[in-house]
């Protein structure tokens, strides 16, 4: 009976501790190849990009006056060791993936664009 209680508590904890995501979900499933099919340098307009991906998370400008739009999306999952009694107090973290779509515009037309995807890890504790 005691083992069933422990198993039920562990199962409930793992069920609650799911994935976390943040950012612009419109690029969640995008790859460099799918982006290149949708965005064409010297052809695609700002309005077309906004229609495809919505408003960017960050807008900035280069020294030369080009407008830069940044779209970011990150998803993470907690490490399984976070849920080990006592061990999780001293060492916890997460792992996941971050995507970043950067588009540089020249007079309202895409000048350059790139999508990068990187593995991310966090760690806290000793």
């Amino acid at each position: 009976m005691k083992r069933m209680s422990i198993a039920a508590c562990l199962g409930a904890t793992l069920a609650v501790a799911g994935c976390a995501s943040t950012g612009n979900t419109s690029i969640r499933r995008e790859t460099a190849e799918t982006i290149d099919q949708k965005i064409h340098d010297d052809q695609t307009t700002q309005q077309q990009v906004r229609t495809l991906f919505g408003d960017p998370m960050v807008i900035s400008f280069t020294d030369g006056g080009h407008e830069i739009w940044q779209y970011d999306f990150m998803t993470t999952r907690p490490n399984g060791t976070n849920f080990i009694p006592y061990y999780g107090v001293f060492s916890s973290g997460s792992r996941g993936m971050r995507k970043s779509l950067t588009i540089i515009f020249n007079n309202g037309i895409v000048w350059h664009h790139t999508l990068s995807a990187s593995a991310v890890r966090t760690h806290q504790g000793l």
Side-chain angles (χ1 to χ4, degrees):
M1 186 66 148
K2 187 175 182 179
R3 285 186 181 181
M4 286 180 50
S5 297
I6 292 171
C9 287
L10 182 60
T13 301
L14 291 175
V16 171
C19 294
S21 62
T22 184
N24 190 313
T25 58
S26 66
I27 65 169
R28 172 183 225 146
R29 290 182 172 75
E30 297 293 347
T31 65
E33 292 78 25
T34 62
I35 291 293
D36 287 343
Q37 292 171 359
K38 295 175 182 179
I39 299 175
H40 304 283
D41 292 352
D42 299 320
Q43 292 180 0
T44 307
T45 66
Q46 281 182 323
Q47 186 56 46
Q48 289 170 320
V49 171
R50 192 179 307 267
T51 300
L52 287 168
F53 304 110
D55 290 326
M57 292 192 71
V58 176
I59 297 175
S60 59
F61 297 88
T62 67
D63 291 340
H66 299 296
E67 193 169 343
I68 302 171
W69 287 10
Q70 182 85 32
Y71 295 86
D72 292 308
F73 180 77
M74 185 168 67
T75 182
T76 59
R77 277 183 268 152
N79 293 338
T81 56
N82 294 0
F83 307 104
I84 298 173
Y86 304 110
Y87 182 84
V89 173
F90 297 105
S91 180
S92 62
S94 63
R95 65 194 180 291
M97 181 64 68
R98 178 177 186 230
K99 290 184 180 183
S100 182
L101 173 61
T102 303
I103 305 167
I104 303 173
F105 293 96
N106 182 25
N107 295 322
I109 305 294
V110 173
W111 186 42
H112 292 293
H113 71 280
T114 185
L115 177 78
S116 61
S118 303
V120 293
R121 290 180 157 239
T122 64
H123 183 265
Q124 297 132 357
L126 301 175

